[in-house]
Amino acid sequence: MAGVLLNNVVKRFGDFEIIHGASLDIADGEFVVFVGPSGCGKSTLLRMIAGLEDISGGEIAIGGKTVNDVEPADRGIAMVFQSYALYPHMSVEQNLSFGLRMNGNPKADTDRRVKKAAEILHITDLMARRPRQLSGGQRQRVAIGRAIVREPQVFLFDEPLSNLDAELRVQMRVEISRLHKELGTTMIYVTHDQIEAMTLADRIVVLRGGHVEQIGRPLDLYSDPDNQFVAGFVGSPKMNFITARVLERGASGVTVELAGGTRLTQPLNGPAPEPGSKVVVGVRPEHFGHAGKGDADLSVTIDVVEHLGGTSFLYASTAAGDDIVIQRDAAEVSDAPEITVSIRKSYLFDDKGRRLR
Amino acid sequence: MRYQNATAYRFLAPYLLIFSIFWLWPIIDSFLISFQATRTVPWRFSPTFNWGRLIGDPAFFNALKNTLLILVIQVPVMITLAIVMAVLLNSPLLKARGLFRFAFFAPVVVGEVAYSAVFRLMFNLDYGIINKLLNSVGLPSIDWFSNVTPAMAVIMIAVTWRWAGYNAIILLAGLQSIPQDVYEAATLDRVSKLKQFIYITLPLLKPIIVFCAVLSIIGTMQLFTEPFLITERGGPGGGTETLGLLLYRQGFRSLNFGYASAIAYTMAGLAIAISLVQLWLTRDPK
Ligand SMILES: Nc1ncnc2c1ncn2[C@@H]1O[C@H](COP(=O)(O)OP(=O)(O)OP(=O)(O)O)[C@@H](O)[C@H]1O
Ligand SMILES: [Mg+2]
């Protein structure tokens, strides 16, 4: 069992800096998810922890021991690849036992570990098959099994579910969560799917362009994002962003005017931007209420309504042309082409995307 | 449906006709000719005339022995060399990869006559570079073309030089189709580079290795240019005469078409048989 510490980790490919100093302290047994858009450096960071990429700057420690120059196999980690990376010419049983056999592990112990992993993952019946005779979900189990057999201190997952269909993805997500409870091992999990991140993580690390944008528990990221990027990334459907202008700073906070003339006052502790400067008001789809029941009212024109059964999503636009999504109970949706909604909860961001609070 | 097929066949007819006349018919005809006594005029049907002769002909068995000897030594050596070359070509440490790839492939496009002439020169007794090299490290000159064993060696070296790169390029394509992350997984499993090669690369490359081996077997069974040009028509004294050369001698010098056809069919039969054995030996256990 071991925690993982990243201290100002930098990665350069040639002259090109990909990771610009990531620092992170992962506790023993914690489930941490790296999330971010494609190309932000999630895989690179994970592969640096694994030792598959060398570290251009900073320090990585696993279990209190600096591993910058430690061979991948000696870091006590096991990795599950997005493409599974199973040995195509070996049976499932051989795939699981290959590493142990190559290292002269006693046969009885190898058999025991393979058997245990197969039981945990319910692949006992598949042991004689080759990878190409397995479905995607079964391959994924084998790949996870191969990691379990190593009895690592830290599991690394690189988008393990992205090649699976939606239903299987949900199912495997639950399995991975169960596995974490069962083994209690530190897990670092990379995904660009924010739902996976929200459901699996003890803590989420949001990355963008090689920078750590925010680190926090899923619900903290949801309810208290540090910036516009995190606010937009976490939550589904996305948070709506409506442009606004600062009017004044009063005793109760800062008052802004939305493009349609709607005024909204927000409590503010930090410094307020100059009156007249541009800000962005963020409202989650679920934070729109009935007219008069919130901080401010907003009139919108409905473009499209999506009925999902229990809830409905209204795709609408404001007078100023901002596109917004409103979440409603299906029963409360009328046919009216124009409605007024209230903003029950909102976030304020300055013109650089930083949260004003 | 049937009508459409008929139309299709009418469009295909010119091709099928030409295919039959120039490809299918010679194959069938040469088979028939192998049952004819072609040394008499007119030819007459005599199944034992050629096939009977074949079974007891020392020249045939000499050529067969030479061909098989070249096959069992040259093909494995060349394939092994080709694998090594392919692995080196695939190494991320290699600079100027394109240049090497070209250099490895170049022998295939060099004209046969030119390359044979160069090999004759290189192995020349008095002023060949090979003997010069041997002398420079204190070894005596070898009279490459007057003795059977060195002459055979020259042929094997020449054929290997010519085709190893070609096979290496095919194997390289196979190597590059092995996903990198499989090796990464093995690295995490603490499997050394050498073991990765033995337990991952070779098994995954096996179908391609077998493919190259079968191609080489077929090619070597038909070996003709090198013994014809480099060792001067199978010299010394028939010591490097191959089946291909014997066929040429019978068919084009003695104009004994029946016997030449019988030899040709024997060569094809052997190539198929050896390739099948090869495929069977290396089949996937199921
Ligand atoms: N070997 C390399 N050489 C140069 N640049 C690289 C290399 N590997 C990755 N990069 C770059 O590093 C950046 C981060 O890549 P990385 O694979 O970590 O992204 P990611 O967050 O995992 O994206 P995805 O969600 O698409 O997998 C990308 O801009 C990529 O182009
Ligand atoms: Mg990635």
Side-chain angles (χ1 to χ4, degrees), chain A residues 37-44 46-47 82 158-159 190-192:
Chain A
S38 189
C40 68
K42 309 178 294 287
S43 298
T44 305
L46 196 74
R47 291 166 57 82
Q82 174 173 356
D158 191 357
E159 307 211 26
V190 164
T191 179
H192 59 247

Side-chain angles (χ1 to χ4, degrees), chain A residues 47 72-74 77 79 81 83 85-89 98 102-103 146 150, chain B residues 181-182 184-191 195 199-200 203-204 284-286:
Chain A
R47 291 166 57 82
D74 297 327
I77 52 102
M79 182 152 165
F81 294 80
S83 53
L86 298 175
Y87 307 120
H89 56 298
F98 182 62
M102 287 295 113
N103 288 294
R146 191 171 60 183
R150 299 202 57 205
Chain B
D181 53 15
V182 171
E184 290 182 344
T187 304
L188 293 180
D189 271 344
R190 203 194 306 275
V191 179
K195 281 186 173 169
Y199 291 101
I200 297 174
L204 290 180
D284 254 336
K286 227 325 75 94

